[in-house]
Amino acid sequence: MNKWVIIGLIVLAVLIIVGVAYDQGAFESMDGSIVAIILTAIAAPFMAVKNMLFGNKQLRVFKDKYETLRAEELIHRDGLDKSISAKEQRIAQLDKEIQLLDAKMEVLELKKKKVAEDVNKMSVDETKKEVRNLFGD
């Protein structure tokens, strides 16, 4: 065989070996060293071809987590919407009850004024007679 073909196959094998090692996480413990940067640069073409052919595993995991999180968020939002709606209905009901109580208070205030006016118009004898009727002797 030709000498250049053998060299090309050896370089290709080294690229594949470094790429597989990078994919398996062999270089993760090497933080910022020159060797790690060079090996990562050598592994980049392998990773590009691998991701193009088989898809990016990390991206797929991220998308799956995102979809799961989104589904959970939609369920949570639906629950909150229902809770808010129920509380708004309760507030509306309480507002109606307050309005009813206010109306009753107004009626009682009018009755109180009428009774006060009636008492002021009564003579002493009529007042004594009314007290006896209400409370007895």
Side-chain angles (χ1 to χ4, degrees), residues 18 27 40 60 65 70 77 93 110 113 129 132:
V18 170
F27 308 139
T40 303
R60 198 170 342 135
K65 284 182 182 179
R70 186 173 178 186
R77 183 182 295 172
Q93 180 186 5
L110 290 173
K113 286 181 184 177
K129 182 179 175 185
R132 271 189 244 128

Side-chain angles (χ1 to χ4, degrees), residues 6-130:
I6 294 173
I7 291 173
L9 289 174
I10 291 172
V11 168
L12 183 63
V14 168
L15 288 175
I16 291 173
I17 290 169
V18 170
V20 170
Y22 176 80
D23 192 34
Q24 298 298 319
F27 308 139
E28 289 179 5
S29 62
M30 298 177 169
D31 290 332
S33 70
I34 301 293
V35 175
I37 293 171
I38 292 171
L39 290 175
T40 303
I42 293 172
F46 171 80
M47 293 303 295
V49 171
K50 178 188 162 278
N51 289 340
M52 199 169 56
L53 293 176
F54 304 109
N56 190 342
K57 182 176 119 181
Q58 292 172 341
L59 182 61
R60 198 170 342 135
V61 168
F62 177 76
K63 284 182 179 179
D64 291 343
K65 284 182 182 179
Y66 173 75
E67 290 300 323
T68 302
L69 184 64
R70 186 173 178 186
E72 289 174 358
E73 188 259 339
L74 287 174
I75 291 169
H76 181 67
R77 183 182 295 172
D78 187 45
L80 286 177
D81 288 345
K82 288 179 182 177
S83 174
I84 289 170
S85 175
K87 288 181 181 181
E88 286 175 347
Q89 289 175 352
R90 179 70 177 141
I91 288 171
Q93 180 186 5
L94 290 173
D95 283 342
K96 288 179 183 178
E97 289 178 17
I98 288 172
Q99 289 174 355
L100 181 63
L101 290 173
D102 284 343
K104 287 181 180 180
M105 288 287 290
E106 288 177 14
V107 168
L108 289 174
E109 288 294 325
L110 290 173
K111 286 182 179 180
K112 179 181 171 184
K113 286 181 184 177
K114 185 173 182 328
V115 168
E117 288 174 6
D118 289 346
V119 168
N120 287 336
K121 290 180 184 177
M122 294 173 90
S123 67
V124 175
D125 288 334
E126 289 175 330
T127 306
K128 287 180 182 178
K129 182 179 175 185
E130 193 64 34

